[in-house]
Amino acid sequence: MRIALFATCLADTMFPAAAKATVQLLERLGHEVVFPPEQTCCGQMHVNTGYQDQALPLVRRHVRTFEACDVVVAPSGSCVGSIRHQHATVARHAGQEGLAARAEAVASRTYELSELLVDVLEVEDVGAYYPHRVTYHPTCHSLRILRVGDRPLRLLRHVRGLDLVELPQAEQCCGFGGTFAVKNADTSTAMLADKMRHVLSTGADVCTAGDASCLMHIGGGLSRLRTGVRTVHLAEILASTEATA
């Protein structure tokens, strides 16, 4: 299958390993991955902070960039959630019904990584090897907007060498929420403290998730406390093999 990668802003600027791992994993499974170089931000940050008019050019560009692609994948439940549930709305808000219809068509072919693997490629054992004790944090957008359910856990359970431990109160938000963490810093910090306490209670070496944004928030807190617990994107775990480990 020919799959287009939507890398996302955060992967492009701060966490490229997640995007690279997505490519490595899909190519190892026998698929061709292409990277449309015209891609930019999906506009989620603009929409979430009330700037729908400013998001419109980004929606238009995203649709133009990916509408010729049969399948699109992104290592981010947050950005895929934006594409599915915001792009057409932004276009309609601007009175552009034609663009809205095109955005819906692109969204229908756009998947978060675990969705693509389990639902489209119909694979749960990706041949990964990762000899670590791992706990999984289900990010809010993947959990509540995309409803990926247990797909990431099903993938992790097939990783050889991995000791998967349940995260207490896993569905509780980590407190990031994009600009929420900046505008409501005290509340965000309190939510992060709860999440870190639960992560540490598992005795895990690694906390994983499908969104680099939440991992950045959790990882920053764990690092400042010098806990020794790392945050690793789900794609990086699934891309690991005995050779790389």
Side-chain angles (χ1 to χ4, degrees):
M1 182 179 291
R2 193 168 189 263
I3 303 168
L5 173 68
F6 174 48
T8 78
C9 294
L10 208 56
D12 182 53
T13 57
M14 298 181 68
F15 301 100
K20 291 178 180 178
T22 301
V23 175
Q24 292 167 357
L25 170 62
L26 294 174
E27 288 184 341
R28 190 176 77 223
L29 294 174
H31 302 282
E32 178 188 1
V33 183
V34 296
F35 181 83
E38 299 83 6
Q39 61 182 276
T40 57
C41 175
C42 67
Q44 177 189 179
M45 179 177 66
H46 305 68
V47 179
N48 289 352
T49 48
Y51 294 94
Q52 288 204 33
D53 292 342
Q54 288 76 10
L56 182 62
L58 296 171
V59 171
R60 186 182 297 113
R61 185 183 187 93
H62 185 89
V63 170
R64 184 172 67 246
T65 300
F66 289 100
E67 63 183 342
C69 303
D70 295 329
V71 176
V72 183
V73 67
S76 168
S78 179
C79 293
V80 173
S82 175
I83 292 163
R84 286 203 200 148
H85 296 278
Q86 293 180 340
H87 278 194
T89 299
V90 168
R92 289 196 173 97
H93 175 77
Q96 298 194 23
E97 185 60 40
L99 177 61
R102 291 166 60 202
E104 287 174 338
V106 172
S108 71
R109 302 190 298 274
T110 302
Y111 300 91
E112 180 268 343
L113 180 59
S114 72
E115 290 182 316
L116 177 73
L117 292 168
V118 175
D119 297 344
V120 180
L121 304 182
E122 298 182 338
V123 59
E124 293 186 12
D125 187 345
V126 299
Y129 173 76
Y130 195 76
H132 299 282
R133 187 177 176 91
V134 177
T135 194
Y136 169 71
H137 165 62
T139 65
C140 289
H141 286 161
S142 65
L143 182 69
R144 298 176 174 87
I145 296 180
L146 295 185
R147 301 188 182 278
V148 301
D150 68 345
R151 292 174 182 85
L153 292 171
R154 285 153 65 183
L155 292 161
L156 288 168
R157 289 184 188 120
H158 283 90
V159 176
R160 289 179 298 113
L162 188 147
D163 178 16
L164 182 62
V165 289
E166 183 178 354
L167 179 64
Q169 298 189 36
E171 297 185 1
Q172 191 176 79
C173 177
C174 72
F176 179 61
T179 55
F180 173 85
V182 178
K183 295 179 178 180
N184 303 276
D186 291 343
T187 303
S188 173
T189 300
M191 295 169 73
L192 173 61
D194 286 342
K195 179 61 64 175
M196 289 192 297
R197 185 174 70 253
H198 294 315
V199 169
L200 293 173
S201 75
T202 67
D205 307 312
V206 172
C207 176
T208 190
D211 276 281
S213 53
C214 297
L215 291 174
M216 174 179 67
H217 190 56
I218 297 169
L222 292 171
S223 175
R224 285 191 293 275
L225 293 178
R226 301 179 185 273
T227 63
V229 180
R230 296 180 295 124
T231 51
V232 180
H233 195 282
L234 176 66
E236 296 177 71
I237 293 178
L238 298 179
S240 295
T241 63
E242 290 190 52
T244 58

